């Protein structure tokens, strides 16, 4: 079982329209973004809006990237931007009409490229979608980790019509401002309607609003309440204005004049601020939503008025049926002015019932205020991130890196060259740029020396191999502390040692590289210098207690004994260290846990590789069988049901009897597995082990839990690891060197592999 500890969500991008664009989605996205930021100060929340005009909008600083509605390349650029900025989660505000392409399909091109979890809020769920709309929503449901709807009917539609699993759906109400329950007369003087009864309809005007039926109801209402006034608040919808101008508003004005109620109908042709809107709603005695289309799954205007404790009369569109149930409002038939008039008169004539309705609505709306909605969204984000961590969702593998199993990419050293200066290899990189402030490590310069020797052995990049080998060996000499016979590890950019004695693992890695230099270096002077340092630092290993330092030293000894097989002192140390490893295994392993320790931690396969190397040079069958047994077990533990390599995660490791950490996955683990499996292949000639080395190496190329390449073919750099939802984009020395070392070990073994029958090459 995998361990998954949910870290806080710290960076969220909201995709959807944004104020000052005038539409309901823009208002919702803006309010949600602001509410999340207010409730969770640690959360960096920014917006990625869609522009429907070439000039765009004068957005606030919270907007970080703009998408051009009908430009497909703009959506792909947005995906690159979000992936590069290491966003924890993307929250999409979906409405068919705001995205380009058939039924807004352009948004799919963006989402399918994202590496992080996706939560999509559906502002429309159609009962009878056309073919394009169905395809878009089904694909959207497939790509998204969670879908949020604002009504129970939306849940039903998603499950019954679109076959979305129930555990993927979350019901969170539409947000509303938190305002006190006040008497309408408190606000009326601000609009010059003090002492009058006020009906209100607000929102962007369009012909589907049904306002003409409310105007037609006015003559009957005014006969009994002659001081009543009907306020129609809102500008014409920008898209309607673009197509039809102000024809709908002019039609309503003519209708009011024809019915002789024009002086009772007040048009406020404006897009008001939140503060002004609260005042308008506050002044209303009754709110009207005479919409014509029943297929409306949500309505921000209705949510606002119910939450503010207004008496509401509405046609029975889907959202109104749910929100106004249990006496929270009155429903009237569609296109029925007489029914609207009767409902208004009934509420005005029964003041006690009207106020009871208002109170029921207000209390119901307490769960809809933005602060509580933001809390619900954040809990959804946390659960989604944790779920993705427990069950990684593969994403599309870029076509440029899709290759047949067994194919090896060309060696590319552009990034590694950038990490090398006159002192040695820089430890870290910010993306592809070296970080001077973190300086250098003996660990990485030992790896650099090892890689240089593999390059020399393969007669590849020989000029760079000499430069790299010389620089890294010089670093090891400088790191070696003569009094303690140990290596220091951390060197600042100013060439000041930051530790007196480095880790035991660092000492072992240095010996691995030095032994390899003795065996493979073609430059006599460098070979002799490496041999001198190897001899000086080898005896210290007697004192080391880390099994990984023993294993790395055994790999160095194996290389050294290829060149000096008769060195009895080195043979004796080999036998001592291998005996220690074998003894650990005998004491710890059982039928279920075939390992050297009670934990699978880091650089795990290195233990098998070291024991295998010792067994081969010492010709010890018992060590050989022990190492193969452990490696076969580890190979199965680190393989997914789909057959790809899944290293033990560094975020908790894997203790015997405990939970396994799946992330963060490190390149070091893939490299150790490659080396161990190739060492097993060399000692057994069993094609199984070469295939396992291939599987581990393909983790770098994108055959991993996220199906995302870690290796950058343009520069030869390797990214620092896999998080549950994305690749760590930094390309430090450890990651890049372990990739290059793995590649070179495979290239050096490739000749023997390709001589096998084709049937042996099949990866299983």
């Amino acid at each position: 079982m995998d361990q998954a500890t949910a870290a806080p969500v710290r960076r969220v991008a909201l995709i959807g329209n944004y104020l000052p664009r005038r539409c309901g989605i823009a208002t919702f996205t803006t309010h949600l973004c602001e509410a999340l930021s207010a409730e969770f100060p640690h959360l960096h929340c920014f917006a990625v809006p869609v522009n429907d005009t070439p000039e765009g909008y004068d957005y606030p600083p919270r907007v970080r990237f703009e998408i051009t509605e009908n430009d497909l390349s703009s959506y792909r650029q947005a995906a690159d931007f979000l992936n590069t900025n290491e966003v924890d989660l993307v929250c999409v505000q979906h409405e068919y009409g705001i995205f380009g392409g058939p039924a807004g399909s352009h948004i799919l091109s963006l989402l399918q490229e994202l590496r992080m979890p996706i939560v999509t809020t559906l502002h429309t769920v159609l009962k009878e979608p056309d073919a394009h709309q169905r395809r878009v929503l089904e694909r959207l449901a497939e790509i998204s980790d969670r879908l949020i709807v604002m009504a129970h009917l939306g849940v039903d539609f998603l499950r019954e019509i679109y076959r979305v699993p129930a555990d993927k759906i979350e019901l969170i109400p539409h947000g509303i401002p938190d305002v006190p329950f006040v008497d309408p007369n408190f606000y009326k003087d601000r609009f010059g309607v003090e002492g009058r009864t006020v009906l209100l309809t607000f929102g962007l005007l369009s012909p589907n609003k049904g306002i003409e039926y409310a105007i037609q109801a006015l003559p009957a209402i005014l006969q009994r309440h002659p001081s009543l006034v009907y306020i129609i608040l809102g500008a014409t919808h920008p898209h309607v204005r673009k197509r039809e101008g102000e024809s709908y508003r002019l039609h309503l004005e003519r209708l009011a004049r024809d019915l002789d109620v024009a002086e009772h109908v007040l048009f406020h042709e404006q897009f008001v601020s939140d503060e002004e809107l609260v005042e308008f709603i506050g002044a209303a005695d009754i709110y009207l939503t005479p919409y014509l289309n029943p297929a409306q799954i949500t309505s921000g205007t209705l949510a606002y008025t119910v939450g503010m404790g207004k008496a509401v009369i509405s046609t029975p569109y889907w959202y109104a049926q749910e929100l106004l149930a249990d006496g929270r409002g009155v429903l009237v038939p569609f296109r029925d002015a007489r029914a609207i008039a009767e409902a208004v008169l009934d509420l005005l004539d029964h003041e006690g019932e009207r106020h009871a309705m208002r109170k029921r609505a207000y209390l119901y709306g307490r769960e809809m205020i933005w602060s509580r909605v933001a809390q619900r969204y954040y809990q959804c984000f946390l659960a989604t991130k944790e779920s993705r961590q427990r069950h990684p969702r593969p994403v599309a593998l870029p076509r440029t890196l899709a290759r047949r199993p067994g194919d090896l990419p060309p060696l590319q050293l552009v990034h590694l060259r950038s990490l090398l200066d006159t002192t040695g290899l820089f430890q870290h990189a910010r993306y592809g740029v070296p970080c001077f402030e973190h300086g250098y490590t003996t660990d990485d310069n030992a790896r650099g020396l090892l890689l240089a020797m593999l390059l020399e052995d393969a007669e590849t990049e020989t000029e760079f191999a000499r430069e790299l080998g010389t620089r890294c060996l010089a670093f090891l000499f400088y790191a070696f502390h003569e009094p303690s016979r140990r290596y220091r590890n951390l060197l600042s950019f100013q060439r000041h040692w930051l530790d007196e004695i480095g880790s035991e693992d660092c000492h072992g890695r240095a010996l691995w590289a030095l032994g390899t230099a003795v065996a493979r270096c073609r430059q006599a002077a460098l070979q002799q210098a490496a041999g001198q340092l190897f001899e000086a630092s080898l005896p210290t290993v007697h004192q080391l207690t880390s099994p990984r330092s023993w294993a790395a030293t055994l790999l160095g000894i194996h290389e050294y004994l290829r060149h000096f097989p008769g060195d009895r002192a080195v043979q004796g140390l080999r036998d001592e260290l291998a005996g220690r490893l074998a003894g650990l295994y005998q004491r710890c392993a059982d039928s279920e846990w075939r390992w050297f320790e009670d934990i699978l931690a880091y650089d795990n396969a290195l233990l098998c590789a070291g024991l295998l190397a010792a067994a081969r040079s010492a010709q010890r069958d018992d060590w050989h069988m022990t190492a193969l047994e452990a490696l076969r077990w580890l190979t199965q533990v680190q393989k997914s049901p789909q057959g790809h390599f899944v290293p033990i995660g560094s975020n908790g490791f894997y203790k015997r009897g405990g939970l396994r950490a799946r992330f963060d996955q490190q390149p070091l683990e893939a490299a150790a597995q490659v080396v161990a499996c190739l060492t097993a292949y060399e000692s057994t000639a069993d094609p199984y082990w070469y295939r396992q080395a291939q599987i581990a190496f393909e983790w770098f190329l994108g055959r991993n839990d996220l199906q995302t390449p870690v290796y950058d073919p343009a520069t030869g750099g390797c990214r620092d690891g896999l998080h549950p939802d994305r690749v760590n984009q930094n390309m430090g020395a450890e990651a890049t060197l372990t990739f290059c070392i793995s590649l070179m070990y495979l290239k050096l073994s490739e000749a023997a592999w390709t001589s096998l029958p084709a049937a042996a090459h099949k990866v299983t």
Side-chain angles (χ1 to χ4, degrees), residues 217 313 330-345:
I313 298 171
V330 177
L331 298 177
V332 296
F334 292 104
R335 304 174 186 273
D336 193 333
R338 181 176 179 178
I340 293 174
E342 291 174 352
V344 170
L345 291 171

Side-chain angles (χ1 to χ4, degrees), residues 312-324:
V312 179
I313 298 171
S314 175
T315 50
Y317 54 92
W318 297 335
Y319 188 61
Q321 291 182 50
E322 186 168 315
L323 205 61
L324 301 182

Side-chain angles (χ1 to χ4, degrees), residues 480-551:
F480 187 64
H481 184 241
E482 189 72 33
S484 66
R485 316 296 282 182
R486 288 283 298 273
Y487 290 94
R488 292 166 291 195
N489 192 28
L490 304 175
L491 183 69
S492 73
F493 181 62
Q494 293 78 21
R495 298 184 179 179
H496 299 144
W497 287 107
L498 304 177
D499 54 0
E500 293 183 7
I501 298 176
S503 69
E504 294 190 1
D505 293 356
C506 154
H507 197 95
R509 290 191 185 102
L511 286 167
W512 180 7
L514 292 167
T516 305
V518 170
R520 305 197 190 208
C521 186
R522 299 170 187 268
Q523 305 168 69
L526 194 149
Q527 182 187 50
Q528 292 166 4
Q532 177 189 335
L533 191 55
F534 182 84
E535 183 176 348
S537 52
L538 188 63
T540 307
V541 178
H542 288 290
Q543 307 165 18
L544 303 185
T545 60
S546 164
R548 283 155 188 81
S549 69
W550 307 341

Side-chain angles (χ1 to χ4, degrees), residues 172-194:
I172 301 179
H174 194 296
I176 61 170
D178 185 8
V179 297
F181 187 77
V182 298
D183 188 292
N185 292 312
F186 181 80
Y187 289 107
K188 288 182 179 180
D189 61 325
R190 304 191 185 186
F191 307 109
V193 293
E194 59 271 23

